[in-house]
Amino acid sequence: RGAFQTLQRVHPRLWAAGLGGVFMSFVMMIFYNVIIAWALVYLVYSFMDPLPWAEDSVAFFYDTVLDSSSGIGDTSALNWKVLTANLLSWLFVALALTKGVASSGKVAWFTATVPYVCILVLLVRGAMLPGAYEGVRSYLRVDMAKLGEAETWTRAANQIFFSLGVAMGAVIVFGSYQERSNNFLRDSLLVPVINCLTSFIGGFFVFSMLGYISQERGVPIDELELSGFSLAFITYTDGLALFPKGVAQAFSVVFFVMIFCLGIDSQIGVTETVVTFLKDTLAERKRPVHLSNAAAVSVVTAVGVVLGLPCCTNAGYYWTTLLWEYGNYISLFVVAALTLAGAGWVLGPKDLNEACVDMLGRPVPRLLMVLWRYVDPLLCLVLLVASAVSMVPYASSLGGHGPGTGAFPTWAQALSVVINWSPAIVMVAALFVPARWLPFTERARRERLMPPQGDGAESVPTADGAESGPPAG
């Protein structure tokens, strides 16, 4: 069962919170697959000798791989390399999801395990590089001034939400497939810890490479390209090109296999969220439509390919940046806050404890109950306000890479505001709509399914085999 169906059963007025999470997964699956496609293009180029970005990694990224135009308004041609790679990535995701969790689970073992092998290989290699020590020192050095900026915390929280799949429906979807006796309390602690430790360890191989680049190029680490897509596709690849012949190709393949696997792993999660929503919604119509998993995956994949076409043009870099920066930001915190409110206050301690006792034989720990009911919702609201404040003044560029590039026109700014804020506005507005007006409440569903009375209407069998007549009253 997906996020929409789950939350509107907690309380009908939370339907928009469930739908908001699905919407953000939908937006993410469109642009994120294109980033995976970039990594796939780089992976193919990694087998060439010398590495084709050795002379100028910046020009290679923007001109050779992306064929980047001057701005988001300059969309004039498809980028066939990226489009082909995008189709291949979507094919991989579709094959992984065709048989549902049975197939995606097997793929996840591969896509989740291989990156750890790659990280270990890159970590060992990075530790052997000259300048690695200075890179690691830079990594561990705390910039107190940055800690005083609201955007540092909001972007960090956004990244944690993003990497864990929080508030995007994926956690609810995959949680619904678990065995009833699965220790969800243990998993809810282990998964974030493992996720953060993986990121922390990954930082060592990245910054050891940055220290090496800094020493070889004679450029301070702080002046290297470290923001956005530049770290993976420009700066780190520049360091790979400095390796000896053969070694450069080998480690470039390892690096982009890791990026590809990490990307596919996340893409499977958000796509499964949308697929589950489609199947559940059609199955609950007045005249139910029961799609097979393969059919639902095919529909979602086709929609993802079509809507991702702007990201596969010569303005694709700017479209991808717009969706990356504004597609999964503000509304994440609203979804999380409302989900916590639904669990902690609508269901409440009594229902949560009863469910926990039923599944695990013990109630929810008191500390977790306090966090779910008070601390976490408050943090989400603080992050929401801080995020809104950090966006003033509004950005005027979508990441230029030269004179006259990267303009953020008014129409594109308006579009980014709609994508960023409309789910949050709808979620809050939905709280004030009376539940009896909503067509998907339990009462409305019963009325839709109940045959008309009189004129020979038949009784409806119930779960225990008895026959029900018309509802009393």
Side-chain angles (χ1 to χ4, degrees):
R1 178 173 290 173
F4 172 71
Q5 284 74 18
T6 298
L7 286 178
Q8 64 98 351
R9 280 169 171 78
V10 171
H11 194 285
R13 297 190 192 193
L14 292 177
W15 66 269
L19 193 60
V22 175
F23 173 78
M24 284 181 284
S25 282
F26 180 72
V27 171
M28 179 179 167
M29 80 173 195
I30 293 169
F31 75 82
Y32 198 70
N33 207 73
V34 176
I35 300 174
I36 299 171
W38 296 352
L40 199 54
V41 171
Y42 267 89
L43 180 59
V44 173
Y45 277 117
S46 297
F47 291 94
M48 296 184 178
D49 182 26
L51 291 176
W53 58 80
E55 293 297 323
D56 189 340
S57 58
V58 176
F60 179 79
F61 178 56
Y62 289 110
D63 299 336
T64 304
V65 175
L66 301 183
D67 189 25
S68 192
S69 65
S70 60
I72 195 170
D74 184 11
T75 305
S76 56
L78 284 170
N79 183 329
W80 291 102
K81 289 192 296 293
V82 173
L83 178 59
T84 302
N86 190 45
L87 290 172
L88 289 174
S89 299
W90 268 117
L91 178 61
F92 192 97
V93 172
L95 291 174
L97 291 173
T98 297
K99 294 183 179 180
V101 177
S103 56
S104 64
K106 294 176 183 178
V107 174
W109 275 107
F110 176 81
T111 57
T113 304
V114 169
Y116 282 99
V117 177
C118 296
I119 288 173
L120 180 61
V121 172
L122 294 170
L123 186 61
V124 172
R125 176 58 184 168
M128 299 167 62
L129 295 172
Y133 176 71
E134 288 303 318
V136 171
R137 283 188 61 191
S138 176
Y139 176 47
L140 298 177
R141 187 180 302 122
V142 178
D143 187 340
M144 299 305 295
K146 286 288 185 182
L147 292 180
E149 297 176 7
E151 188 173 9
T152 299
W153 295 97
T154 57
R155 288 296 179 181
N158 183 258
Q159 179 58 37
I160 292 294
F161 276 48
F162 178 83
S163 60
L164 289 173
V166 173
M168 291 192 288
V171 174
I172 293 176
V173 169
F174 286 103
S176 70
Y177 289 112
Q178 294 289 341
E179 295 289 339
R180 190 171 181 82
S181 59
N182 180 66
N183 192 335
F184 66 91
L185 291 177
R186 177 202 60 202
D187 291 352
S188 67
L189 293 175
L190 282 180
V191 171
V193 169
I194 293 172
N195 175 75
C196 292
L197 282 177
T198 301
S199 299
F200 180 67
I201 294 171
F204 284 94
F205 86 75
V206 170
F207 273 82
S208 61
M209 175 67 87
L210 296 181
Y212 171 62
I213 297 171
S214 176
Q215 179 169 306
E216 293 294 309
R217 301 293 192 196
V219 179
I221 292 177
D222 292 344
E223 295 181 15
L224 296 174
E225 291 281 351
L226 304 179
S227 60
F229 307 120
S230 299
L231 178 58
F233 294 104
I234 296 177
T235 305
Y236 199 89
T237 54
D238 184 39
L240 292 170
L242 296 174
F243 289 177
K245 179 181 178 179
V247 177
Q249 284 75 17
F251 280 94
S252 183
V253 169
V254 170
F255 179 70
F256 286 108
V257 165
M258 179 191 72
I259 296 295
F260 179 78
C261 287
L262 288 171
I264 287 293
D265 201 36
S266 297
Q267 184 70 358
I268 286 173
V270 294
T271 305
E272 176 64 27
T273 300
V274 180
V275 169
T276 300
F277 169 75
L278 176 63
K279 290 172 60 182
D280 288 353
T281 302
L282 290 178
E284 293 184 353
R285 295 178 63 202
K286 185 175 182 179
R287 295 181 178 177
V289 176
H290 298 286
L291 281 183
S292 67
N293 207 73
V297 169
S298 298
V299 170
V300 172
T301 298
V303 171
V305 169
V306 172
L307 294 183
L309 286 177
C311 297
C312 297
T313 65
N314 56 347
Y317 170 78
Y318 307 107
W319 283 104
T320 304
T321 300
L322 186 151
L323 294 174
W324 173 274
E325 293 289 339
Y326 303 102
N328 299 78
Y329 190 31
I330 291 291
S331 295
L332 275 178
F333 303 127
V334 181
V335 172
L338 291 178
T339 302
L340 287 162
W345 293 95
V346 178
L347 292 180
K350 182 176 182 294
D351 285 347
L352 291 176
N353 280 323
E354 286 180 357
C356 195
V357 168
D358 179 48
M359 289 184 280
L360 302 181
R362 63 183 185 275
V364 176
R366 290 185 179 180
L367 176 60
L368 283 181
M369 194 68 75
V370 170
L371 292 174
W372 293 347
R373 301 192 76 203
Y374 302 101
V375 179
D376 293 346
L378 180 60
L379 281 176
C380 289
L381 293 177
V382 170
L383 288 167
L384 172 64
V385 174
S387 299
V389 171
S390 70
M391 297 180 71
V392 180
Y394 210 70
S396 59
S397 172
L398 280 173
H401 53 91
T405 64
F408 198 1
T410 302
W411 67 266
Q413 290 179 325
L415 177 62
S416 70
V417 170
V418 171
I419 294 173
N420 204 5
W421 282 95
S422 58
I425 293 171
V426 171
M427 282 184 273
V428 174
L431 298 177
F432 299 95
V433 177
R436 63 180 181 277
W437 293 2
L438 302 175
F440 40 74
T441 60
E442 291 294 336
R443 178 178 176 181
R445 186 179 296 106
R446 288 196 303 269
E447 291 174 354
R448 288 203 308 273
L449 297 176
M450 186 67 65
Q453 300 188 28
D455 299 323
E458 298 179 358
S459 57
V460 181
T462 61
D464 59 5
E467 292 186 340
S468 64

